[in-house]
Amino acid sequence: MPQGLRYGRANRHRGEIEAQIDGERRILCLTLGALAELETAFQADDLTALAERFAGGRMKAADMIRVIGAGLRGAGNLFSDEDVASATVDGGIAGHAAIVADLLTATFARPRGETPPDP
């Protein structure tokens, strides 16, 4: 089974989340590199197009595998998409969907009360 390189607690200010995958707590993060990986995989022109795709609320199982895999790799976990496809998560498909939703929220949503920086 793949090994995680990153231990400790997730830092939401960095866009990190924690999830139980194959019975182990893992940290996931959609870093800039992970987002570039997803732009390519989903043929999105830019981050706005990628965010709009996710905001639609409809996702295939293959999409969830890609997002979870990119999040794991972004946090330094050695997981391929094939590893993610065979991994177990409490709650089955609903558990996978919850991980994706939490990861996308941590990445794209601005914390309540926070204003964007001045240009």
Side-chain angles (χ1 to χ4, degrees):
M1 179 46 55
Q3 297 296 309
L5 300 176
R6 181 98 199 291
Y7 298 99
R9 306 298 269 152
N11 183 338
R12 292 293 281 211
H13 293 285
R14 289 192 303 235
E16 296 174 345
I17 68 160
E18 293 181 25
Q20 286 290 120
I21 300 175
D22 276 342
E24 293 189 37
R25 186 182 59 79
R26 305 280 182 181
I27 293 177
L28 294 85
C29 183
L30 291 178
T31 60
L32 193 57
L35 289 167
E37 176 185 332
L38 292 175
E39 283 177 339
T40 300
F42 294 123
Q43 299 176 340
D45 290 335
D46 54 34
L47 283 176
T48 300
L50 189 64
E52 287 171 354
R53 176 187 172 98
F54 295 142
R58 296 182 61 131
M59 213 176 255
K60 298 185 283 186
D63 297 346
M64 290 195 295
I65 289 167
R66 285 186 178 125
V67 171
I68 292 171
L72 284 163
R73 290 185 292 277
N77 294 285
L78 303 177
F79 269 75
S80 68
D81 285 350
E82 293 78 21
D83 294 327
V84 174
S86 64
T88 58
V89 171
D90 288 345
I93 190 70
H96 285 89
I99 292 170
V100 170
D102 194 25
L103 185 55
L104 293 175
T105 299
T107 302
F108 291 106
R110 190 176 338 277
R112 193 177 295 179
E114 184 178 303
T115 58
D118 288 331

